[in-house]
Amino acid sequence: MATPRRTALVSGGIGGLGTAICIALAEAGNRVVAADLDGNAERVAAFRQATDGLDIAFAPLDVTDFAACGALVQALQASHGGIDILVNAAGITRDSTLRKMDPTQWDAVLAVNLGGVFNLTRHVVEGMAARGYGRIVNISSVNGQTGQFGQANYSAAKAGMHGFTMALAREVARKGVTVNSVSPGYCETALVMAIPQPIRDGIVAQVPVGRLGQPREIARAVAFLAAEDAGFITGANLPVNGGLFMAF
Ligand code: CAA
């Protein structure tokens, strides 16, 4: 029997990792909707160019807006018949040592990186459970596993994402819905390239494979967990970090 065509929603979908994730999911045969802020026209245009010819649409969304997340999910329910795959990839950094961190830096990172996961998943999960099928993949980070100097906000949010993953995985396991995390290491994205070069060089020197990851190497892990035949993997965290953090 042919695999049914699935609909995937990717938050942060036009970002560094998000774009590669959209492409990988589309190449796997899914209809993809990339949800992201639309304030930067150049960024949107670059995304459209990178994904030209693929079944990938763009939907403006601020994941910190609970009502807007609900409205998008409802609209996709009407136009696409529901969302089968949700990738929570919206993420920002506001790096600072805790001693210098102000509440706006804390609040912004928690609101996007963790609040955004709640806002979107809360609306998507009901339809998945009702239809008896779903794949949710949360993009966490190696820095949620190890902590990182200057990232108390980001590390807290990313560790929190995996707690969310495990709790929700239990709640929806009997409904055909899997919930997993992918924890990328340092990849060649704008987020990482914004780290001052001497600090970045020091980080890369600690990566056993000796280089930054490529976004498509993260996307491959996401597509793996989002696939039809990944139904026995749930509540897991898949690290893709070039060996920067090894654990079992
Ligand atoms: N470990 C221990 N000490 C460190 C350190 C480290 N990693 N980095 C800096 N220090 C020391 C410095 O040597 C300095 O010591 P002295 O006071 O004795 O001189 C002290 O800590 C203060 O450091 P900085 O001068 O660097 O402090 P700052 O306020 O200027 O900068 C910072 C702080 C902005 C957080 C900067 O250190 C930084 O950008 N770090 C990189 C953070 C990072 O890795 N972010 C990841 C972004 S990418 C991402 O998040 C994607 C993903 O998931 C992987």
Side-chain angles (χ1 to χ4, degrees):
M1 202 178 71
T3 306
R5 198 155 163 69
R6 301 291 189 185
T7 297
L9 175 62
V10 181
S11 80
I14 72 171
L17 295 183
T19 302
I21 290 167
C22 288
I23 291 170
L25 291 176
E27 286 176 349
N30 302 293
R31 294 196 291 172
V32 181
V33 178
D36 210 318
L37 297 174
D38 67 346
N40 184 336
E42 250 173 55
R43 201 168 160 253
V44 177
F47 173 77
R48 290 196 194 283
Q49 199 179 6
T51 57
D52 190 37
L54 294 168
D55 191 349
I56 302 176
F58 170 67
L61 180 71
D62 177 349
V63 293
T64 66
D65 185 337
F66 182 72
C69 288
L72 176 62
V73 171
Q74 260 190 350
L76 292 177
Q77 172 82 38
S79 59
H80 291 63
I83 296 157
D84 309 298
I85 299 167
L86 171 65
V87 182
N88 286 303
I92 60 168
T93 55
R94 295 288 182 271
D95 293 354
S96 162
T97 55
L98 190 71
R99 292 165 67 188
K100 293 182 194 165
M101 190 178 292
D102 62 46
T104 61
Q105 292 170 304
W106 173 265
D107 290 344
V109 170
L110 270 288
V112 174
N113 299 16
L114 194 52
V117 175
F118 169 77
N119 290 343
L120 213 41
T121 311
R122 174 68 181 80
H123 291 291
V124 168
V125 77
E126 280 184 27
M128 286 181 169
R131 289 186 300 275
Y133 183 87
R135 298 279 180 267
I136 299 174
V137 183
N138 294 321
I139 307 303
S140 183
S141 166
V142 65
N143 292 345
Q145 299 177 280
T146 63
Q148 170 62 307
F149 186 99
Q151 288 200 308
N153 48 4
Y154 186 88
S155 299
K158 293 298 187 180
M161 279 177 91
H162 190 58
F164 177 98
T165 292
M166 294 187 290
L168 183 61
R170 291 181 189 277
E171 292 182 19
V172 294
R174 299 282 171 95
K175 304 285 185 189
V177 181
T178 66
V179 191
N180 293 287
S181 302
V182 169
S183 287
Y186 286 78
C187 294
E188 220 173 289
T189 61
L191 202 72
V192 168
M193 299 319 275
I195 302 171
Q197 191 173 351
I199 297 180
R200 200 174 64 233
D201 288 348
I203 292 168
V204 174
Q206 291 166 38
V207 179
V209 304
R211 62 173 174 86
L212 294 172
Q214 290 302 318
R216 65 171 182 280
E217 295 176 297
I218 307 304
R220 186 170 196 278
V222 176
F224 167 72
L225 291 170
E228 205 84 13
D229 57 3
F232 203 56
I233 308 174
T234 197
N237 176 49
L238 178 47
V240 188
N241 60 31
L244 182 58
F245 177 63
M246 300 182 190
F248 78 104

